[in-house]
Amino acid sequence: MKIVTILGARPQFIKAGTVSRKLLEHAEIEEIIIHTGQHYDANMSDVFFDEMKIPKPHYFLGIGGKSHGAMTGQMIEKIEEVILKEQPDWIMVYGDTNSTLAGALVASKLHIKLAHIEAGLRSFNMQMPEEINRILTDRISNILFCPTDSAIQNLENEGYNKFNCKIIKSGDVMQDGALFYSELAVKPNIDLNDKFILSTIHRAENTDDIHKLSAIIAALNEIHKSCQIVLPIHPRTRNIIAENNIQIDFKTIEPVGYLEMVWLIKNSKLIMTDSGGLQKEAFFFEKPCITLREQTEWVELIDHQFNILVGSDKQKILDTYNGATFNNDFSINLYGGGKACDNIINELLSYE
Ligand code: UDP
């Protein structure tokens, strides 16, 4: 069986790296990796391949730093060339980026079977580019690997039971990764207090609205007076903060590799983020999480009070930080318990 995996952005390296490691255990499967180049800085891309020992991509398309249309269009053109040459049995895509959508469209046009990992997630915010990418990708996938019960429910609500596709509750590959890499965590070379809050901000809904971004930073400035904030800064956020002279009173650090990130999560007292993946990692490593967004796809974390949604209002962020209580019994199995990769591979091998 030949699988072409398409990836291009940081969270996809982390997810696909975990699956690739498992695929290598199956001699009957050949995996070809296409890296679209959507994320290309060394600390947003190479570091993950090196540290996590992800097989080097067979194809690097070098398509990054462009508008949505140019990026997605050029990816479709280049991915199609590779697929015509490689003739795989499956194309496998992850999550909700432009690379995901481009790979999905090529698969459907060339009649190659498509597997979507992290299918069925919805924020119900159609302004988010990620929401459009995931809805369109789901609709043309042959197998939809859902990480959670709510993802399955979303698809049922949209009538997917009547469509010609297979819906599988696989569990979440990020939990498989978190369990594997936990032991390999590395302390980053930065000054840290005993207690610190780990924060990341990069979602377009926050960075593209200067008022929202300023309010979030103002809240973090306030919190930093009593507890150190550690913020590995996404290049997009760094540029927007610099261009708009937003005052930031704590020290940001360059994006870190995954092993450093796992160390920071494990040793933090709280996570404050707009990242999708980091919300789950907070749960995997048993940390409370305040999410700087209006919606989340990971609704089970909210329902079970591991995570609180606060959006970007400064006072709401501060009130939640000062007053909220969180569930600290993390024994519930929400994401499959680390068996997602095996479930996915077994399903692909037995697909008829
Ligand atoms: N991450 C990392 N280094 C960083 C920031 C994040 O390794 O400096 C990891 C994080 O632990 C998670 C993934 O990147 O596994 C999340 O990616 P991101 O927040 O960029 O995307 P999202 O999950 O929001 O799609």
Side-chain angles (χ1 to χ4, degrees):
M1 177 188 290
K2 190 176 195 176
I3 298 175
V4 167
T5 295
I6 295 169
L7 38 75
R10 176 170 65 188
Q12 290 165 334
F13 308 142
I14 292 165
K15 294 165 199 168
T18 300
V19 177
S20 291
R21 195 166 36 77
K22 277 282 177 184
L23 287 173
L24 287 172
E25 294 172 10
H26 291 264
E28 71 276 39
I29 301 178
E30 180 190 8
E31 186 188 30
I32 304 286
I33 299 178
I34 304 179
H35 184 327
T36 62
Q38 190 174 338
H39 283 170
Y40 47 86
D41 291 346
N43 60 13
M44 294 291 286
S45 174
D46 297 356
V47 66
F48 298 98
F49 288 86
D50 296 343
E51 277 191 346
M52 298 173 73
K53 306 206 175 10
I54 305 173
K56 289 271 174 286
H58 301 74
Y59 297 90
F60 182 78
L61 307 184
I63 306 163
K66 299 183 199 304
S67 69
H68 282 289
M71 198 192 286
T72 314
Q74 288 177 28
M75 285 177 187
I76 292 172
E77 190 180 349
K78 292 268 178 63
I79 293 170
E80 184 180 66
E81 280 170 24
V82 176
I83 298 300
L84 286 170
K85 183 171 151 224
E86 293 288 347
Q87 295 291 332
D89 301 293
W90 286 95
I91 291 183
M92 202 143 82
V93 293
Y94 290 80
D96 52 26
T97 70
N98 291 336
S99 304
T100 314
L101 178 62
L105 287 172
V106 172
S108 93
K109 302 275 181 189
L110 296 182
H111 304 295
I112 308 284
K113 292 193 290 287
L114 177 65
H116 185 201
I117 296 180
E118 266 198 1
L121 298 176
R122 299 288 182 265
S123 67
F124 302 101
N125 177 353
M126 294 295 277
Q127 300 300 314
M128 286 175 62
E130 295 90 349
E131 184 77 351
I132 308 302
N133 291 340
R134 56 172 87 99
I135 289 174
L136 298 179
T137 301
D138 279 349
R139 187 61 188 86
I140 54 179
S141 292
N142 297 82
I143 303 193
L144 295 98
F145 289 112
C146 296
T148 57
D149 289 332
S150 68
I152 303 255
Q153 190 59 54
N154 289 336
L155 295 175
E156 285 176 5
N157 294 347
E158 290 174 24
Y160 271 70
N161 289 343
K162 293 193 221 87
F163 301 158
N164 188 17
C165 62
K166 211 164 175 191
I167 298 173
I168 304 291
K169 186 178 166 198
S170 55
D172 194 317
V173 298
M174 285 191 80
Q175 183 162 34
D176 298 29
L179 288 168
F180 181 81
Y181 290 103
S182 174
E183 299 303 311
L184 306 174
V186 174
K187 183 178 185 302
N189 190 13
I190 51 173
D191 288 336
L192 287 168
N193 296 348
D194 277 352
K195 282 203 159 92
F196 64 89
I197 296 166
L198 178 63
S199 181
T200 70
I201 310 163
H202 77 289
R203 287 295 178 123
E205 62 196 280
N206 287 327
T207 57
D208 292 0
D209 182 329
I210 200 63
H211 300 292
K212 286 187 177 180
L213 185 59
S214 302
I216 290 172
I217 299 288
L220 296 181
N221 283 342
E222 194 64 34
I223 293 168
H224 182 69
K225 288 178 186 162
S226 56
C227 184
Q228 182 183 21
I229 305 270
V230 176
L231 190 140
I233 195 157
H234 192 285
R236 183 198 308 154
T237 316
R238 181 182 51 220
N239 294 341
I240 294 173
I241 286 178
E243 281 160 17
N244 293 280
N245 289 319
I246 298 177
Q247 186 188 326
I248 180 157
D249 296 343
F250 49 91
K251 211 165 145 2
T252 59
I253 59 172
E254 286 299 303
V256 294
Y258 189 59
L259 303 185
E260 291 86 354
M261 193 64 182
V262 169
W263 191 96
L264 287 170
I265 300 167
K266 285 174 79 170
N267 289 279
S268 66
K269 75 160 200 174
L270 169 73
I271 308 285
M272 298 181 76
T273 190
D274 61 8
S275 160
L278 191 51
Q279 292 174 57
K280 284 179 293 172
E281 288 165 336
F283 171 77
F284 300 150
F285 294 107
E286 307 195 348
K287 303 292 171 179
C289 183
I290 294 178
T291 295
L292 305 162
R293 287 177 50 190
E294 305 292 345
Q295 309 90 11
T296 181
E297 304 77 41
W298 307 105
V299 288
E300 52 288 324
L301 295 174
I302 308 297
D303 294 344
H304 292 280
Q305 284 136 20
F306 298 115
N307 185 343
I308 298 178
L309 280 177
V310 293
S312 55
D313 181 78
K314 180 182 171 192
Q315 199 53 48
K316 195 166 174 197
I317 297 171
L318 293 175
D319 290 346
T320 305
Y321 174 72
N322 288 318
T325 50
F326 295 87
N327 184 353
N328 58 12
D329 176 2
F330 292 89
S331 56
I332 187 168
N333 180 355
L334 297 175
Y335 296 102
K339 299 191 179 64
C341 293
D342 287 336
N343 291 339
I344 289 167
I345 294 169
N346 291 339
E347 195 57 47
L348 290 173
L349 287 171
S350 62
Y351 184 89
E352 283 167 8

